[in-house]
Amino acid sequence: DAGVIQSPRHEVTEMGQEVTLRCKPISGHNSLFWYRQTMMRGLELLIYFNNNVPIDDSGMPEDRFSAKMPNASFSTLKIQPSEPRDSAVYFCASSRSGNTIYFGEGSWLTVV
Amino acid sequence: AQTVTQSQPEMSVQEAETVTLSCTYDTSENNYYLFWYKQPPSRQMILVIRQEAYKQQNATENRFSVNFQKAAKSFSLKISDSQLGDTAMYFCAFMKRVWETSGSRLTFGEGTQLTVNP
């Protein structure tokens, strides 16, 4: 079975540009999570969806960040405008009804 | 709110030896899961082992086993016959068990960097 698929794997962008990260959860999973990992703050939950509905977005840093899940097989995390402090590894993860959460390989974002 | 604490930022072990990573947690929940995830230099988060709190038997996956002490809120990971490929950051994580379909989230510890030396 395919795991959680994220794209792009690596992105380097200039400050002020829009960044869109994409995620395809594991088929049949109904919960989707976006995490961010930095050296300073470790792993942070940004937002999670259940059945395509955002349940908790309290971890979203500020209005520059937005996430959508238009259907059960696709989600995006958008940063507009991007800033150097947004540089991090962004993980998408999914699970089935509160069971084990499986992670994608991560998207490495560098904002210069 | 739940908290997870890993008090060992770094550990090292010789190849083929056994090492134990510590984790403690705090929660008022009675039904939950505990996990160990491994993050090698590639940064991928890989599930190592899972423990359900209502099960008294400690989980085991090949060379990996846990010592789950529910009353003490302790959840340590033992790696036997350590291999060079075990070198990674190891995260302990907590997740409340939910019965409805509202989903649940992971709370992570700070991580322990394990180095296996040849």
Side-chain angles (χ1 to χ4, degrees), chain A residues 31 33 35 37 43 45 48 50 56 89 91 98-101 103 105 108, chain B residues 33 35 37 39 43-45 47 50 91 95 101-106 108:
Chain A
S31 293
F33 307 81
Y35 281 86
Q37 186 178 34
L43 277 157
L45 177 66
Y48 82 91
N50 195 68
D56 182 355
V89 182
F91 287 100
N99 285 305
T100 301
I101 295 175
F103 285 77
E105 294 184 322
W108 295 57
Chain B
Y33 296 110
F35 303 88
Y37 284 87
Q39 189 177 42
R43 303 297 286 272
Q44 185 174 2
M45 292 289 286
L47 177 68
R50 177 179 110 159
F91 291 96
M95 184 171 77
T101 57
S102 61
S104 188
R105 52 187 288 176
L106 282 167
F108 285 94

PDB file of all heavy atoms in Angstrom, chain A residues 31 33 35 37 43 45 48 50 56 89 91 98-101 103 105 108, chain B residues 33 35 37 39 43-45 47 50 91 95 101-106 108:
ATOM      1  N   SER A  31      -8.435  10.896   9.061  1.00  0.00           N
ATOM      2  CA  SER A  31      -7.829  12.019   9.791  1.00  0.00           C
ATOM      3  C   SER A  31      -6.527  12.401   9.112  1.00  0.00           C
ATOM      4  O   SER A  31      -5.740  11.527   8.722  1.00  0.00           O
ATOM      5  CB  SER A  31      -7.548  11.642  11.249  1.00  0.00           C
ATOM      6  OG  SER A  31      -8.740  11.435  11.959  1.00  0.00           O
ATOM      7  N   PHE A  33      -3.159  15.263   9.336  1.00  0.00           N
ATOM      8  CA  PHE A  33      -2.441  16.175  10.231  1.00  0.00           C
ATOM      9  C   PHE A  33      -1.319  16.875   9.458  1.00  0.00           C
ATOM     10  O   PHE A  33      -0.664  16.257   8.620  1.00  0.00           O
ATOM     11  CB  PHE A  33      -1.799  15.395  11.382  1.00  0.00           C
ATOM     12  CG  PHE A  33      -2.756  14.512  12.142  1.00  0.00           C
ATOM     13  CD1 PHE A  33      -3.112  13.260  11.654  1.00  0.00           C
ATOM     14  CD2 PHE A  33      -3.289  14.921  13.353  1.00  0.00           C
ATOM     15  CE1 PHE A  33      -3.995  12.449  12.346  1.00  0.00           C
ATOM     16  CE2 PHE A  33      -4.167  14.101  14.058  1.00  0.00           C
ATOM     17  CZ  PHE A  33      -4.516  12.867  13.553  1.00  0.00           C
ATOM     18  N   TYR A  35       2.191  18.734  10.536  1.00  0.00           N
ATOM     19  CA  TYR A  35       3.159  19.042  11.582  1.00  0.00           C
ATOM     20  C   TYR A  35       4.304  19.832  10.974  1.00  0.00           C
ATOM     21  O   TYR A  35       4.632  19.700   9.801  1.00  0.00           O
ATOM     22  CB  TYR A  35       3.740  17.761  12.194  1.00  0.00           C
ATOM     23  CG  TYR A  35       2.858  17.060  13.197  1.00  0.00           C
ATOM     24  CD1 TYR A  35       1.897  16.153  12.792  1.00  0.00           C
ATOM     25  CD2 TYR A  35       3.012  17.296  14.566  1.00  0.00           C
ATOM     26  CE1 TYR A  35       1.093  15.492  13.718  1.00  0.00           C
ATOM     27  CE2 TYR A  35       2.219  16.642  15.497  1.00  0.00           C
ATOM     28  CZ  TYR A  35       1.259  15.750  15.067  1.00  0.00           C
ATOM     29  OH  TYR A  35       0.463  15.101  15.990  1.00  0.00           O
ATOM     30  N   GLN A  37       8.467  20.777  11.881  1.00  0.00           N
ATOM     31  CA  GLN A  37       9.596  20.443  12.742  1.00  0.00           C
ATOM     32  C   GLN A  37      10.737  21.432  12.533  1.00  0.00           C
ATOM     33  O   GLN A  37      11.207  21.613  11.410  1.00  0.00           O
ATOM     34  CB  GLN A  37      10.100  19.020  12.479  1.00  0.00           C
ATOM     35  CG  GLN A  37      11.173  18.575  13.461  1.00  0.00           C
ATOM     36  CD  GLN A  37      11.629  17.149  13.209  1.00  0.00           C
ATOM     37  OE1 GLN A  37      11.689  16.686  12.080  1.00  0.00           O
ATOM     38  NE2 GLN A  37      11.965  16.439  14.284  1.00  0.00           N
ATOM     39  N   LEU A  43       8.708  19.234  17.148  1.00  0.00           N
ATOM     40  CA  LEU A  43       7.543  18.890  16.333  1.00  0.00           C
ATOM     41  C   LEU A  43       6.317  19.625  16.858  1.00  0.00           C
ATOM     42  O   LEU A  43       5.951  19.483  18.013  1.00  0.00           O
ATOM     43  CB  LEU A  43       7.295  17.383  16.390  1.00  0.00           C
ATOM     44  CG  LEU A  43       8.123  16.532  15.453  1.00  0.00           C
ATOM     45  CD1 LEU A  43       8.220  15.109  15.962  1.00  0.00           C
ATOM     46  CD2 LEU A  43       7.553  16.555  14.048  1.00  0.00           C
ATOM     47  N   LEU A  45       2.183  20.498  16.054  1.00  0.00           N
ATOM     48  CA  LEU A  45       0.985  20.252  15.265  1.00  0.00           C
ATOM     49  C   LEU A  45       0.425  21.587  14.798  1.00  0.00           C
ATOM     50  O   LEU A  45       0.148  22.464  15.617  1.00  0.00           O
ATOM     51  CB  LEU A  45      -0.065  19.512  16.096  1.00  0.00           C
ATOM     52  CG  LEU A  45      -1.398  19.255  15.383  1.00  0.00           C
ATOM     53  CD1 LEU A  45      -1.211  18.289  14.220  1.00  0.00           C
ATOM     54  CD2 LEU A  45      -2.431  18.707  16.365  1.00  0.00           C
ATOM     55  N   TYR A  48      -5.254  19.822  12.241  1.00  0.00           N
ATOM     56  CA  TYR A  48      -5.669  18.506  11.787  1.00  0.00           C
ATOM     57  C   TYR A  48      -7.128  18.501  11.376  1.00  0.00           C
ATOM     58  O   TYR A  48      -7.937  19.292  11.865  1.00  0.00           O
ATOM     59  CB  TYR A  48      -5.308  17.401  12.777  1.00  0.00           C
ATOM     60  CG  TYR A  48      -6.206  17.162  13.952  1.00  0.00           C
ATOM     61  CD1 TYR A  48      -7.258  16.235  13.879  1.00  0.00           C
ATOM     62  CD2 TYR A  48      -5.969  17.790  15.160  1.00  0.00           C
ATOM     63  CE1 TYR A  48      -8.040  15.972  14.983  1.00  0.00           C
ATOM     64  CE2 TYR A  48      -6.753  17.532  16.266  1.00  0.00           C
ATOM     65  CZ  TYR A  48      -7.789  16.613  16.176  1.00  0.00           C
ATOM     66  OH  TYR A  48      -8.567  16.349  17.272  1.00  0.00           O
ATOM     67  N   ASN A  50     -10.574  16.032  10.356  1.00  0.00           N
ATOM     68  CA  ASN A  50     -11.240  14.750  10.452  1.00  0.00           C
ATOM     69  C   ASN A  50     -12.404  14.756   9.471  1.00  0.00           C
ATOM     70  O   ASN A  50     -13.231  15.688   9.504  1.00  0.00           O
ATOM     71  CB  ASN A  50     -11.741  14.480  11.873  1.00  0.00           C
ATOM     72  CG  ASN A  50     -12.114  13.030  12.082  1.00  0.00           C
ATOM     73  OD1 ASN A  50     -11.257  12.155  12.074  1.00  0.00           O
ATOM     74  ND2 ASN A  50     -13.385  12.756  12.239  1.00  0.00           N
ATOM     75  N   ASP A  56      -8.859  21.232  14.664  1.00  0.00           N
ATOM     76  CA  ASP A  56      -8.043  22.034  15.568  1.00  0.00           C
ATOM     77  C   ASP A  56      -6.975  22.743  14.750  1.00  0.00           C
ATOM     78  O   ASP A  56      -6.095  22.096  14.217  1.00  0.00           O
ATOM     79  CB  ASP A  56      -7.405  21.140  16.629  1.00  0.00           C
ATOM     80  CG  ASP A  56      -6.573  21.923  17.646  1.00  0.00           C
ATOM     81  OD1 ASP A  56      -6.408  23.153  17.483  1.00  0.00           O
ATOM     82  OD2 ASP A  56      -6.084  21.295  18.605  1.00  0.00           O
ATOM     83  N   VAL A  89      10.951  21.525   8.266  1.00  0.00           N
ATOM     84  CA  VAL A  89      10.416  20.338   7.593  1.00  0.00           C
ATOM     85  C   VAL A  89       8.938  20.257   7.947  1.00  0.00           C
ATOM     86  O   VAL A  89       8.577  20.284   9.135  1.00  0.00           O
ATOM     87  CB  VAL A  89      11.143  19.051   8.021  1.00  0.00           C
ATOM     88  CG1 VAL A  89      10.581  17.852   7.254  1.00  0.00           C
ATOM     89  CG2 VAL A  89      12.639  19.173   7.796  1.00  0.00           C
ATOM     90  N   PHE A  91       5.582  18.040   7.839  1.00  0.00           N
ATOM     91  CA  PHE A  91       5.119  16.668   7.696  1.00  0.00           C
ATOM     92  C   PHE A  91       3.597  16.641   7.575  1.00  0.00           C
ATOM     93  O   PHE A  91       2.884  17.325   8.311  1.00  0.00           O
ATOM     94  CB  PHE A  91       5.502  15.832   8.922  1.00  0.00           C
ATOM     95  CG  PHE A  91       6.955  15.502   9.018  1.00  0.00           C
ATOM     96  CD1 PHE A  91       7.781  16.234   9.864  1.00  0.00           C
ATOM     97  CD2 PHE A  91       7.500  14.464   8.286  1.00  0.00           C
ATOM     98  CE1 PHE A  91       9.124  15.934   9.970  1.00  0.00           C
ATOM     99  CE2 PHE A  91       8.846  14.156   8.380  1.00  0.00           C
ATOM    100  CZ  PHE A  91       9.662  14.897   9.218  1.00  0.00           C
ATOM    101  N   GLY A  98      -8.655   7.656  14.753  1.00  0.00           N
ATOM    102  CA  GLY A  98      -7.979   7.659  16.032  1.00  0.00           C
ATOM    103  C   GLY A  98      -6.991   6.546  16.244  1.00  0.00           C
ATOM    104  O   GLY A  98      -6.525   6.343  17.358  1.00  0.00           O
ATOM    105  N   ASN A  99      -6.676   5.812  15.210  1.00  0.00           N
ATOM    106  CA  ASN A  99      -5.649   4.781  15.320  1.00  0.00           C
ATOM    107  C   ASN A  99      -4.273   5.332  14.985  1.00  0.00           C
ATOM    108  O   ASN A  99      -4.084   6.539  14.889  1.00  0.00           O
ATOM    109  CB  ASN A  99      -6.007   3.603  14.418  1.00  0.00           C
ATOM    110  CG  ASN A  99      -7.124   2.768  15.019  1.00  0.00           C
ATOM    111  OD1 ASN A  99      -7.017   2.311  16.152  1.00  0.00           O
ATOM    112  ND2 ASN A  99      -8.181   2.590  14.293  1.00  0.00           N
ATOM    113  N   THR A 100      -3.327   4.468  14.790  1.00  0.00           N
ATOM    114  CA  THR A 100      -1.935   4.869  14.579  1.00  0.00           C
ATOM    115  C   THR A 100      -1.806   5.891  13.469  1.00  0.00           C
ATOM    116  O   THR A 100      -2.436   5.773  12.421  1.00  0.00           O
ATOM    117  CB  THR A 100      -1.077   3.637  14.267  1.00  0.00           C
ATOM    118  OG1 THR A 100      -1.175   2.720  15.355  1.00  0.00           O
ATOM    119  CG2 THR A 100       0.377   4.019  14.048  1.00  0.00           C
ATOM    120  N   ILE A 101      -0.983   6.899  13.724  1.00  0.00           N
ATOM    121  CA  ILE A 101      -0.749   7.975  12.760  1.00  0.00           C
ATOM    122  C   ILE A 101       0.514   7.655  11.976  1.00  0.00           C
ATOM    123  O   ILE A 101       1.569   7.387  12.554  1.00  0.00           O
ATOM    124  CB  ILE A 101      -0.623   9.322  13.491  1.00  0.00           C
ATOM    125  CG1 ILE A 101      -1.962   9.670  14.167  1.00  0.00           C
ATOM    126  CG2 ILE A 101      -0.210  10.425  12.526  1.00  0.00           C
ATOM    127  CD1 ILE A 101      -1.922  10.913  15.020  1.00  0.00           C
ATOM    128  N   PHE A 103       3.241   8.893   8.964  1.00  0.00           N
ATOM    129  CA  PHE A 103       3.790  10.134   8.431  1.00  0.00           C
ATOM    130  C   PHE A 103       4.285   9.980   7.001  1.00  0.00           C
ATOM    131  O   PHE A 103       4.760   8.912   6.609  1.00  0.00           O
ATOM    132  CB  PHE A 103       4.977  10.593   9.293  1.00  0.00           C
ATOM    133  CG  PHE A 103       4.563  11.175  10.615  1.00  0.00           C
ATOM    134  CD1 PHE A 103       4.165  10.360  11.657  1.00  0.00           C
ATOM    135  CD2 PHE A 103       4.571  12.549  10.819  1.00  0.00           C
ATOM    136  CE1 PHE A 103       3.774  10.887  12.868  1.00  0.00           C
ATOM    137  CE2 PHE A 103       4.189  13.085  12.034  1.00  0.00           C
ATOM    138  CZ  PHE A 103       3.791  12.248  13.058  1.00  0.00           C
ATOM    139  N   GLU A 105       7.085  11.560   4.074  1.00  0.00           N
ATOM    140  CA  GLU A 105       8.531  11.730   4.159  1.00  0.00           C
ATOM    141  C   GLU A 105       8.941  13.170   4.455  1.00  0.00           C
ATOM    142  O   GLU A 105      10.101  13.440   4.681  1.00  0.00           O
ATOM    143  CB  GLU A 105       9.185  11.257   2.864  1.00  0.00           C
ATOM    144  CG  GLU A 105       9.039   9.752   2.643  1.00  0.00           C
ATOM    145  CD  GLU A 105       9.764   9.277   1.408  1.00  0.00           C
ATOM    146  OE1 GLU A 105       9.764  10.007   0.396  1.00  0.00           O
ATOM    147  OE2 GLU A 105      10.333   8.177   1.450  1.00  0.00           O
ATOM    148  N   TRP A 108      10.883  19.629   2.839  1.00  0.00           N
ATOM    149  CA  TRP A 108      11.899  20.516   3.398  1.00  0.00           C
ATOM    150  C   TRP A 108      11.746  21.874   2.754  1.00  0.00           C
ATOM    151  O   TRP A 108      11.937  22.023   1.555  1.00  0.00           O
ATOM    152  CB  TRP A 108      13.297  19.976   3.087  1.00  0.00           C
ATOM    153  CG  TRP A 108      13.633  18.672   3.716  1.00  0.00           C
ATOM    154  CD1 TRP A 108      12.975  17.490   3.593  1.00  0.00           C
ATOM    155  CD2 TRP A 108      14.763  18.406   4.548  1.00  0.00           C
ATOM    156  NE1 TRP A 108      13.616  16.489   4.291  1.00  0.00           N
ATOM    157  CE2 TRP A 108      14.723  17.040   4.904  1.00  0.00           C
ATOM    158  CE3 TRP A 108      15.819  19.178   5.032  1.00  0.00           C
ATOM    159  CZ2 TRP A 108      15.682  16.444   5.706  1.00  0.00           C
ATOM    160  CZ3 TRP A 108      16.777  18.577   5.841  1.00  0.00           C
ATOM    161  CH2 TRP A 108      16.703  17.229   6.166  1.00  0.00           C
TER     162      TRP A 108
ATOM    163  N   TYR B  33      -2.991   5.611  23.659  1.00  0.00           N
ATOM    164  CA  TYR B  33      -1.915   4.863  23.013  1.00  0.00           C
ATOM    165  C   TYR B  33      -0.590   5.566  23.325  1.00  0.00           C
ATOM    166  O   TYR B  33      -0.537   6.790  23.492  1.00  0.00           O
ATOM    167  CB  TYR B  33      -2.064   4.868  21.487  1.00  0.00           C
ATOM    168  CG  TYR B  33      -3.288   4.187  20.947  1.00  0.00           C
ATOM    169  CD1 TYR B  33      -4.313   4.939  20.377  1.00  0.00           C
ATOM    170  CD2 TYR B  33      -3.412   2.805  20.959  1.00  0.00           C
ATOM    171  CE1 TYR B  33      -5.443   4.326  19.842  1.00  0.00           C
ATOM    172  CE2 TYR B  33      -4.534   2.190  20.423  1.00  0.00           C
ATOM    173  CZ  TYR B  33      -5.543   2.953  19.871  1.00  0.00           C
ATOM    174  OH  TYR B  33      -6.657   2.338  19.342  1.00  0.00           O
ATOM    175  N   PHE B  35       3.485   5.577  21.702  1.00  0.00           N
ATOM    176  CA  PHE B  35       4.254   5.201  20.525  1.00  0.00           C
ATOM    177  C   PHE B  35       5.719   5.572  20.704  1.00  0.00           C
ATOM    178  O   PHE B  35       6.063   6.512  21.428  1.00  0.00           O
ATOM    179  CB  PHE B  35       3.761   5.959  19.279  1.00  0.00           C
ATOM    180  CG  PHE B  35       2.309   5.779  18.960  1.00  0.00           C
ATOM    181  CD1 PHE B  35       1.365   6.614  19.525  1.00  0.00           C
ATOM    182  CD2 PHE B  35       1.888   4.796  18.087  1.00  0.00           C
ATOM    183  CE1 PHE B  35       0.018   6.476  19.235  1.00  0.00           C
ATOM    184  CE2 PHE B  35       0.541   4.648  17.776  1.00  0.00           C
ATOM    185  CZ  PHE B  35      -0.397   5.486  18.353  1.00  0.00           C
ATOM    186  N   TYR B  37       8.525   6.605  17.794  1.00  0.00           N
ATOM    187  CA  TYR B  37       8.833   6.863  16.396  1.00  0.00           C
ATOM    188  C   TYR B  37      10.346   7.057  16.282  1.00  0.00           C
ATOM    189  O   TYR B  37      10.991   7.613  17.161  1.00  0.00           O
ATOM    190  CB  TYR B  37       8.145   8.120  15.880  1.00  0.00           C
ATOM    191  CG  TYR B  37       6.666   7.972  15.593  1.00  0.00           C
ATOM    192  CD1 TYR B  37       5.721   8.175  16.595  1.00  0.00           C
ATOM    193  CD2 TYR B  37       6.204   7.637  14.323  1.00  0.00           C
ATOM    194  CE1 TYR B  37       4.362   8.052  16.343  1.00  0.00           C
ATOM    195  CE2 TYR B  37       4.842   7.505  14.052  1.00  0.00           C
ATOM    196  CZ  TYR B  37       3.931   7.726  15.072  1.00  0.00           C
ATOM    197  OH  TYR B  37       2.588   7.598  14.814  1.00  0.00           O
ATOM    198  N   GLN B  39      13.394   8.692  13.814  1.00  0.00           N
ATOM    199  CA  GLN B  39      13.667   9.640  12.741  1.00  0.00           C
ATOM    200  C   GLN B  39      15.148   9.578  12.377  1.00  0.00           C
ATOM    201  O   GLN B  39      15.980  10.194  13.032  1.00  0.00           O
ATOM    202  CB  GLN B  39      13.258  11.058  13.142  1.00  0.00           C
ATOM    203  CG  GLN B  39      13.318  12.037  11.976  1.00  0.00           C
ATOM    204  CD  GLN B  39      12.842  13.417  12.340  1.00  0.00           C
ATOM    205  OE1 GLN B  39      13.148  13.942  13.401  1.00  0.00           O
ATOM    206  NE2 GLN B  39      12.074  14.026  11.452  1.00  0.00           N
ATOM    207  N   ARG B  43      15.185  12.193   7.961  1.00  0.00           N
ATOM    208  CA  ARG B  43      14.106  12.962   8.607  1.00  0.00           C
ATOM    209  C   ARG B  43      12.732  12.308   8.477  1.00  0.00           C
ATOM    210  O   ARG B  43      11.752  12.836   8.984  1.00  0.00           O
ATOM    211  CB  ARG B  43      14.015  14.410   8.099  1.00  0.00           C
ATOM    212  CG  ARG B  43      15.273  15.213   8.239  1.00  0.00           C
ATOM    213  CD  ARG B  43      15.680  15.391   9.688  1.00  0.00           C
ATOM    214  NE  ARG B  43      14.864  16.318  10.419  1.00  0.00           N
ATOM    215  CZ  ARG B  43      15.084  17.628  10.481  1.00  0.00           C
ATOM    216  NH1 ARG B  43      16.073  18.166   9.829  1.00  0.00           N
ATOM    217  NH2 ARG B  43      14.285  18.406  11.192  1.00  0.00           N
ATOM    218  N   GLN B  44      12.648  11.155   7.836  1.00  0.00           N
ATOM    219  CA  GLN B  44      11.355  10.480   7.779  1.00  0.00           C
ATOM    220  C   GLN B  44      10.966   9.995   9.164  1.00  0.00           C
ATOM    221  O   GLN B  44      11.806   9.521   9.925  1.00  0.00           O
ATOM    222  CB  GLN B  44      11.418   9.297   6.813  1.00  0.00           C
ATOM    223  CG  GLN B  44      10.081   8.621   6.607  1.00  0.00           C
ATOM    224  CD  GLN B  44      10.121   7.555   5.555  1.00  0.00           C
ATOM    225  OE1 GLN B  44      11.171   7.275   4.986  1.00  0.00           O
ATOM    226  NE2 GLN B  44       8.978   6.956   5.265  1.00  0.00           N
ATOM    227  N   MET B  45       9.708  10.089   9.523  1.00  0.00           N
ATOM    228  CA  MET B  45       9.198   9.623  10.813  1.00  0.00           C
ATOM    229  C   MET B  45       8.674   8.207  10.629  1.00  0.00           C
ATOM    230  O   MET B  45       7.707   7.972   9.912  1.00  0.00           O
ATOM    231  CB  MET B  45       8.065  10.531  11.301  1.00  0.00           C
ATOM    232  CG  MET B  45       8.509  11.917  11.680  1.00  0.00           C
ATOM    233  SD  MET B  45       9.464  11.944  13.198  1.00  0.00           S
ATOM    234  CE  MET B  45       8.174  11.686  14.401  1.00  0.00           C
ATOM    235  N   LEU B  47       7.301   4.662  12.367  1.00  0.00           N
ATOM    236  CA  LEU B  47       6.730   4.041  13.556  1.00  0.00           C
ATOM    237  C   LEU B  47       7.568   2.836  13.966  1.00  0.00           C
ATOM    238  O   LEU B  47       7.851   1.967  13.152  1.00  0.00           O
ATOM    239  CB  LEU B  47       5.290   3.605  13.291  1.00  0.00           C
ATOM    240  CG  LEU B  47       4.604   2.864  14.432  1.00  0.00           C
ATOM    241  CD1 LEU B  47       4.367   3.804  15.604  1.00  0.00           C
ATOM    242  CD2 LEU B  47       3.300   2.241  13.960  1.00  0.00           C
ATOM    243  N   ARG B  50       4.013   0.352  19.119  1.00  0.00           N
ATOM    244  CA  ARG B  50       2.799   0.956  19.670  1.00  0.00           C
ATOM    245  C   ARG B  50       2.336   0.149  20.882  1.00  0.00           C
ATOM    246  O   ARG B  50       2.408  -1.082  20.869  1.00  0.00           O
ATOM    247  CB  ARG B  50       1.712   0.958  18.608  1.00  0.00           C
ATOM    248  CG  ARG B  50       0.369   1.485  19.073  1.00  0.00           C
ATOM    249  CD  ARG B  50      -0.629   1.468  17.944  1.00  0.00           C
ATOM    250  NE  ARG B  50      -1.647   0.478  18.146  1.00  0.00           N
ATOM    251  CZ  ARG B  50      -2.832   0.496  17.553  1.00  0.00           C
ATOM    252  NH1 ARG B  50      -3.116   1.481  16.723  1.00  0.00           N
ATOM    253  NH2 ARG B  50      -3.712  -0.448  17.761  1.00  0.00           N
ATOM    254  N   PHE B  91      11.529   9.460  19.142  1.00  0.00           N
ATOM    255  CA  PHE B  91      10.501  10.263  19.791  1.00  0.00           C
ATOM    256  C   PHE B  91       9.480   9.358  20.460  1.00  0.00           C
ATOM    257  O   PHE B  91       8.959   8.427  19.840  1.00  0.00           O
ATOM    258  CB  PHE B  91       9.770  11.147  18.775  1.00  0.00           C
ATOM    259  CG  PHE B  91      10.607  12.252  18.207  1.00  0.00           C
ATOM    260  CD1 PHE B  91      11.264  12.096  16.992  1.00  0.00           C
ATOM    261  CD2 PHE B  91      10.739  13.452  18.884  1.00  0.00           C
ATOM    262  CE1 PHE B  91      12.035  13.119  16.463  1.00  0.00           C
ATOM    263  CE2 PHE B  91      11.506  14.480  18.362  1.00  0.00           C
ATOM    264  CZ  PHE B  91      12.159  14.314  17.149  1.00  0.00           C
ATOM    265  N   MET B  95      -1.120   9.518  22.505  1.00  0.00           N
ATOM    266  CA  MET B  95      -2.348   9.861  21.788  1.00  0.00           C
ATOM    267  C   MET B  95      -3.543   9.354  22.577  1.00  0.00           C
ATOM    268  O   MET B  95      -3.603   8.165  22.920  1.00  0.00           O
ATOM    269  CB  MET B  95      -2.369   9.267  20.385  1.00  0.00           C
ATOM    270  CG  MET B  95      -3.569   9.675  19.570  1.00  0.00           C
ATOM    271  SD  MET B  95      -3.456   9.170  17.855  1.00  0.00           S
ATOM    272  CE  MET B  95      -3.855   7.427  17.998  1.00  0.00           C
ATOM    273  N   THR B 101     -15.481   9.317  15.760  1.00  0.00           N
ATOM    274  CA  THR B 101     -14.632   9.562  14.596  1.00  0.00           C
ATOM    275  C   THR B 101     -14.086  10.981  14.589  1.00  0.00           C
ATOM    276  O   THR B 101     -13.819  11.545  13.546  1.00  0.00           O
ATOM    277  CB  THR B 101     -15.432   9.319  13.305  1.00  0.00           C
ATOM    278  OG1 THR B 101     -16.579  10.172  13.316  1.00  0.00           O
ATOM    279  CG2 THR B 101     -15.856   7.870  13.206  1.00  0.00           C
ATOM    280  N   SER B 102     -13.896  11.547  15.770  1.00  0.00           N
ATOM    281  CA  SER B 102     -13.430  12.927  15.810  1.00  0.00           C
ATOM    282  C   SER B 102     -11.940  13.041  15.619  1.00  0.00           C
ATOM    283  O   SER B 102     -11.411  14.132  15.532  1.00  0.00           O
ATOM    284  CB  SER B 102     -13.825  13.568  17.142  1.00  0.00           C
ATOM    285  OG  SER B 102     -13.223  12.852  18.204  1.00  0.00           O
ATOM    286  N   GLY B 103     -11.233  11.945  15.593  1.00  0.00           N
ATOM    287  CA  GLY B 103      -9.788  11.997  15.401  1.00  0.00           C
ATOM    288  C   GLY B 103      -9.074  12.338  16.684  1.00  0.00           C
ATOM    289  O   GLY B 103      -9.663  12.792  17.650  1.00  0.00           O
ATOM    290  N   SER B 104      -7.791  12.130  16.695  1.00  0.00           N
ATOM    291  CA  SER B 104      -6.993  12.432  17.869  1.00  0.00           C
ATOM    292  C   SER B 104      -5.602  12.839  17.418  1.00  0.00           C
ATOM    293  O   SER B 104      -5.196  12.560  16.305  1.00  0.00           O
ATOM    294  CB  SER B 104      -6.926  11.219  18.789  1.00  0.00           C
ATOM    295  OG  SER B 104      -6.302  11.545  20.007  1.00  0.00           O
ATOM    296  N   ARG B 105      -4.871  13.504  18.297  1.00  0.00           N
ATOM    297  CA  ARG B 105      -3.583  14.059  17.915  1.00  0.00           C
ATOM    298  C   ARG B 105      -2.470  13.451  18.743  1.00  0.00           C
ATOM    299  O   ARG B 105      -2.683  13.004  19.864  1.00  0.00           O
ATOM    300  CB  ARG B 105      -3.611  15.574  18.118  1.00  0.00           C
ATOM    301  CG  ARG B 105      -4.064  15.969  19.517  1.00  0.00           C
ATOM    302  CD  ARG B 105      -4.242  17.461  19.629  1.00  0.00           C
ATOM    303  NE  ARG B 105      -2.969  18.154  19.645  1.00  0.00           N
ATOM    304  CZ  ARG B 105      -2.851  19.474  19.662  1.00  0.00           C
ATOM    305  NH1 ARG B 105      -3.928  20.216  19.648  1.00  0.00           N
ATOM    306  NH2 ARG B 105      -1.660  20.036  19.678  1.00  0.00           N
ATOM    307  N   LEU B 106      -1.261  13.471  18.206  1.00  0.00           N
ATOM    308  CA  LEU B 106      -0.076  13.006  18.906  1.00  0.00           C
ATOM    309  C   LEU B 106       0.564  14.156  19.674  1.00  0.00           C
ATOM    310  O   LEU B 106       0.677  15.262  19.164  1.00  0.00           O
ATOM    311  CB  LEU B 106       0.955  12.472  17.919  1.00  0.00           C
ATOM    312  CG  LEU B 106       0.740  11.086  17.333  1.00  0.00           C
ATOM    313  CD1 LEU B 106       1.674  10.860  16.169  1.00  0.00           C
ATOM    314  CD2 LEU B 106       0.950  10.019  18.398  1.00  0.00           C
ATOM    315  N   PHE B 108       4.239  14.835  21.302  1.00  0.00           N
ATOM    316  CA  PHE B 108       5.586  14.272  21.234  1.00  0.00           C
ATOM    317  C   PHE B 108       6.459  14.734  22.392  1.00  0.00           C
ATOM    318  O   PHE B 108       6.310  15.853  22.899  1.00  0.00           O
ATOM    319  CB  PHE B 108       6.274  14.712  19.939  1.00  0.00           C
ATOM    320  CG  PHE B 108       5.783  14.017  18.714  1.00  0.00           C
ATOM    321  CD1 PHE B 108       4.784  14.585  17.933  1.00  0.00           C
ATOM    322  CD2 PHE B 108       6.318  12.792  18.321  1.00  0.00           C
ATOM    323  CE1 PHE B 108       4.329  13.946  16.794  1.00  0.00           C
ATOM    324  CE2 PHE B 108       5.871  12.152  17.181  1.00  0.00           C
ATOM    325  CZ  PHE B 108       4.876  12.725  16.420  1.00  0.00           C
TER     326      PHE B 108
END
